[in-house]
Each structure stands twice: as C-alpha cells, then as structure tokens.
Amino acid sequence: EELVRDELHLAAAQAMAASVDERNVHDQRHAESVARLASVIAAEMKMDEDDIHRIRVAGLLHDIGLVTVPEEIINKRDHLSADEWRRIKEHPEVGETILKHIASLESFLPMVRHHHEHYDGAGYPDGLAKEKIPLGARILAVADAFQAMISDRPYRRALTTDQALAELQMSSGTQFDPEIVDTVVSLFRNLQEKAS
C-alpha cells in the first residue's frame, strides 16, 4: 500500500511538473533535474529513504505555482518589472494553495512554500531563517539555484559547474545553508576526481 501511494505521488508530481516545465522554453527538465539533485543531496546527508522520497517529490512540485504566471514573464529576456517580479515571487504560496487541495500531498507543502527562504532570513514568502526553514526546503533551495545556474536562461548563458559551485559558496551562510553547500561542493569535487 505504501509503495503504491509513493508511486502515485511520484506520477502525479511528474505530471504536474511537466505542465510547468513545458512553459519554460529554456529549461524544460528543470523540475526533474532539481528533484534528482535534491534527492542525491539528501542521500549524501544520510537522510532516511522516506525523507529522500519526500524531497524528490517536493523537488518535482516546487515550481507548481508558476502555472499561474504568464509564459511571457517566465521566458522574458529583459529585466522583470516590479509587478512581474511580484508575480514570480508569489509562486511558492500559489503552489502551496494548489497542492492543499490534494490531501495525499499535504506533507510536501512546507518544502514547496519555503524553497525560496534564505538562510539569513532575507528570502520569501515568510522571511524564515536557519533551522526554522524546513530541511527539505533548504536542500531544494540549493538544488534549485544550482540547476538554474548551470542552465541557459533568457537573460544569460549557463555557468560551468565550477562557476556555479563558486556562486553557491559565495552565498553560503546568507542565502544557503552552509552544510548543504558543503555537501554539494564535496559531491561534485568527488565526481570530478573520479572522472579525471
């Protein structure tokens, strides 16, 4: 029964994520990439299988609130206006509102709502800081930022893995949880060593 429930969560999350990603002409696998990296980070941090699964599903769902944002804003090449930026910043709360209607997805709500909180309290929507931000949301924040940095965006070219890791390190302790940044940097350094 648990296995069936988990598979249904994953299938529903993948379908919803695909509907959001299809609207992003520059990164149509963003949700899947974030989910995959977030679950690897969680495994590296020795989290249990249930938590890893929850983080993977939340990774698929993290941007579901963008379904209410017009495609021309999502794919805009120029700087966003204040109103357009406000629409983007509402997506964690909108995502939570959408998912509240699906009882079986209730446990994913805190991660979806808080994946843009900053470790120093300067993020949104609630200005939570440090351990007040759910661990899954802190993991998603790093995975989401890293995947965005290594992907082409309407307003800039993709960064290299090393450049993206350096950006994470510069924001460690402010935007991102230092332990999670250290885990990601170590993970990629180990992969680079094995490849050489």
Side-chain angles (χ1 to χ4, degrees):
E1 190 177 307
E2 268 183 44
L3 186 60
V4 169
R5 187 196 68 226
D6 288 348
E7 288 301 315
L8 287 172
H9 283 165
L10 200 53
Q14 285 170 322
M16 287 188 266
S19 71
V20 172
D21 283 350
E22 280 176 19
R23 303 170 76 237
N24 182 347
V25 297
H26 298 279
D27 192 1
Q28 296 193 330
R29 304 283 300 161
H30 177 72
E32 182 61 47
S33 298
V34 170
R36 193 177 314 111
L37 178 56
S39 60
V40 170
I41 295 167
E44 282 290 307
M45 294 177 71
K46 309 290 187 237
M47 296 178 76
D48 68 42
E49 288 298 320
D50 285 346
D51 287 334
I52 293 169
H53 172 76
R54 274 192 287 278
I55 288 168
R56 177 167 169 66
V57 172
L60 290 167
L61 297 170
H62 76 283
D63 278 343
I64 195 69
L66 289 175
V67 297
T68 64
V69 178
E71 283 184 50
E72 57 269 19
I73 294 176
I74 293 171
N75 296 307
K76 188 174 180 180
R77 291 185 174 276
D78 300 323
H79 289 289
L80 297 177
S81 69
D83 186 57
E84 290 167 337
W85 182 235
R86 179 189 55 76
R87 295 285 305 271
I88 294 285
K89 285 179 73 172
E90 289 173 349
H91 84 270
E93 294 169 278
V94 172
E96 179 189 46
T97 300
I98 291 167
L99 297 175
K100 271 184 182 173
H101 298 288
I102 307 168
S104 66
L105 298 180
E106 193 173 317
S107 66
F108 308 110
L109 298 181
M111 288 183 276
V112 171
R113 180 179 179 89
H114 298 297
H115 74 278
H116 280 293
E117 303 286 0
H118 290 184
Y119 195 71
D120 64 2
Y124 59 90
D126 300 314
L128 301 182
K130 298 185 178 175
E131 283 71 33
K132 290 188 177 168
I133 306 166
L135 178 57
R138 283 181 271 146
I139 290 172
L140 287 178
V142 173
D144 186 28
F146 182 82
Q147 289 302 144
M149 286 189 278
I150 64 168
S151 303
D152 286 333
R153 288 295 190 228
Y155 46 87
R156 62 140 179 85
R157 300 289 301 158
L159 301 183
T160 66
T161 298
D162 286 337
Q163 290 170 325
L165 292 174
E167 289 287 328
L168 289 180
Q169 287 176 305
M170 282 194 300
S171 297
S172 179
T174 52
Q175 187 173 353
F176 305 117
D177 181 325
E179 181 186 358
I180 297 166
V181 171
D182 289 348
T183 299
V184 173
V185 170
S186 174
L187 179 69
F188 279 94
R189 295 289 180 247
N190 289 340
L191 288 172
Q192 287 169 340
E193 283 173 22
K194 286 177 186 171
S196 60

